[in-house]
Amino acid sequence: MRKLIRETRLSPDQLIMPYFVKEGRGVKEPIQGMPGQFRYSVDQLIPELESLQGSGVSAIMLFGIPESKDERGSAAYDRNGVVQYALRAIKDKFPEILLIADTCLCEYTSHGHCGIVRHRRDEIEIDNDASLELLAKTAVSQAEAGADMVAPSDMMDGRIGAIRNALDRTEFSHIPIMSYAAKYASAFYGPFRDAAESRPQFGDRKSYQMDFANSREALREIALDIDEGADIVIVKPALAYLDIIQMAHAQFDVPIAAYSVSGEYSMIRAAASSGSVNEEDLIWEMAVAIRRSGADILITYFAKEIARKLQASGSLKQLAK
Ligand code: PBG
């Protein structure tokens, strides 16, 4: 009976698994704060992707950790950059995996900000408009390297339009954009910034990421991005933002993705290691809750665990518990 009247279903087809890629060979470094997650060199990522495919997940998102960083984040749009290299290698070996490239500068800039900075009087500020050109260049170079979709996470104003134009002007008018449209300035990104070595060296991201006290502003951000050409929009983080996901789903007719971020992953791992909760049940409940709130797509570091559970128990049987 529970199965018959169940309102929320989940499939491995709706999951996206994020990965951190590093230059070099033979690298598989555990990420502190995210037990079970690693920074991989491409050769080490290959067996991991085989195991991911075995679980039924076929979409991944790549974050790059370059060897060297500079003020303008030039490794982000380098033809031979770490992500470009990884995209080419993975596309070649796994043509059936949907390859999504995170488009941002923060992993590549020496100052760790998502845009480039300029000095004005005594102040350092983000140069929104000058960053757009570099983000667009990054997106085009990712598409050139084999990305099937780009996912701008920088939160500069106008970047979706700039990236859409740049893709259309080159040969990539068919490449869709999944925009981090409602991205909050969140403490939940802590473990990611360690993983990607992208902690801002000064200031914070509050001049471009949203205030978590606001919800209507998220709808405005999403509407702007859709207007500029976003095909899928992301709400991020997920767990503490189910109201935003629900509003976005009710108001817009594009697919809504929810990004369950690094801090959410760490929180569950930490709670489970205390022995006081059942980890598998917690992962499952959280995933279903995010879907229930209206997310069509779930970006999560638990993608493999969730898919395995679906596989092991013949789709949704486990919910009958
Ligand atoms: C880069 C970016 C961040 C995340 C995804 N893309 C970090 C940030 O904005 O500081 C966070 C993802 C996570 O925490 O899992 N702009």
Side-chain angles (χ1 to χ4, degrees):
M1 186 60 151
R2 283 176 94 90
K3 276 201 294 183
L4 184 69
I5 60 171
R6 181 160 303 129
E7 298 173 25
T8 306
R9 308 204 182 255
L10 183 53
S11 147
D13 295 342
Q14 298 165 312
L15 303 173
I16 298 174
M17 175 70 194
Y19 285 109
F20 300 93
V21 284
K22 273 198 101 154
E23 284 173 48
R25 281 188 69 79
V27 183
K28 185 178 174 185
E29 289 170 4
I31 296 170
Q32 214 207 341
M34 296 180 76
Q37 299 299 313
F38 301 85
R39 303 185 194 91
Y40 295 95
S41 57
V42 174
D43 60 313
Q44 295 294 306
L45 190 55
I46 302 290
E48 164 59 24
L49 292 179
E50 269 156 18
S51 131
L52 182 78
Q53 274 196 315
S55 78
V57 177
S58 56
I60 67 170
M61 180 143 80
L62 294 183
F63 295 96
I65 307 162
E67 206 98 273
S68 62
K69 308 188 184 215
D70 60 30
E71 282 263 307
R72 295 176 63 80
S74 53
Y77 38 89
D78 180 347
R79 229 197 134 257
N80 296 311
V82 56
V83 159
Q84 286 79 356
Y85 175 77
L87 287 167
R88 278 192 293 269
I90 298 168
K91 179 58 70 194
D92 187 50
K93 190 117 183 104
F94 302 98
E96 62 295 345
I97 289 186
L98 182 81
L99 280 179
I100 306 164
D102 180 88
T103 307
C104 195
L105 300 180
C106 66
E107 298 117 72
Y108 307 92
T109 49
S110 42
H111 43 72
H113 278 288
C114 302
I116 53 174
V117 298
R118 70 174 169 211
H119 299 258
R120 197 160 64 161
R121 294 186 209 98
D122 288 342
E123 304 270 322
I124 306 177
E125 56 182 29
I126 304 298
D127 193 339
N128 187 94
D129 293 359
S131 304
L132 299 183
E133 190 194 330
L134 302 182
L135 290 159
K137 247 166 95 165
T138 304
V140 169
S141 93
Q142 291 169 335
E144 256 163 13
D148 299 303
M149 178 152 76
V150 292
S153 66
D154 54 283
M155 286 296 277
M156 298 299 124
D157 291 332
R159 89 267 202 228
I160 302 303
I163 290 172
R164 187 68 272 160
N165 274 332
L167 291 171
D168 289 351
R169 264 189 278 111
T170 48
E171 61 200 280
F172 303 111
S173 57
H174 62 294
I175 296 293
I177 301 176
M178 177 165 75
S179 160
Y180 291 70
K183 178 173 175 179
Y184 286 87
S186 169
F188 281 105
Y189 308 151
F192 173 97
R193 291 180 189 170
D194 290 336
E197 299 160 5
S198 64
R199 207 165 275 285
Q201 297 303 302
F202 52 82
D204 55 39
R205 300 208 202 291
K206 289 185 183 147
S207 71
Y208 42 102
Q209 297 182 350
M210 286 181 46
D211 180 354
F212 53 74
N214 295 355
S215 56
R216 289 160 65 224
E217 187 187 4
L219 299 179
R220 199 158 68 239
E221 290 277 6
I222 294 171
L224 281 168
D225 281 9
I226 293 174
D227 232 36
E228 290 177 31
D231 300 283
I232 300 174
V233 295
I234 303 178
V235 175
K236 177 186 171 192
L239 195 54
Y241 296 82
L242 299 183
D243 56 330
I244 311 298
I245 298 171
Q246 188 173 37
M247 289 194 313
H249 187 261
Q251 188 137 337
F252 301 103
D253 56 8
V254 299
I256 308 294
Y259 195 149
S260 183
V261 300
S262 56
E264 298 175 44
Y265 177 90
S266 301
M267 222 161 53
I268 291 198
R269 287 285 197 224
S273 73
S274 78
S276 54
V277 296
N278 178 308
E279 184 171 66
E280 198 183 302
D281 290 347
L282 204 56
I283 294 170
W284 182 246
E285 183 175 332
M286 186 161 109
V288 171
I290 295 169
R291 278 275 298 133
R292 190 194 62 229
S293 73
D296 303 291
I297 298 166
L298 178 54
I299 307 167
T300 168
Y301 303 95
F302 285 123
K304 207 153 70 170
E305 280 85 347
I306 296 168
R308 283 256 160 77
K309 189 175 169 76
L310 286 165
Q311 221 173 29
S313 43
S315 190
L316 287 151
K317 240 194 273 162
Q318 66 289 344
L319 262 189
K321 277 201 286 196

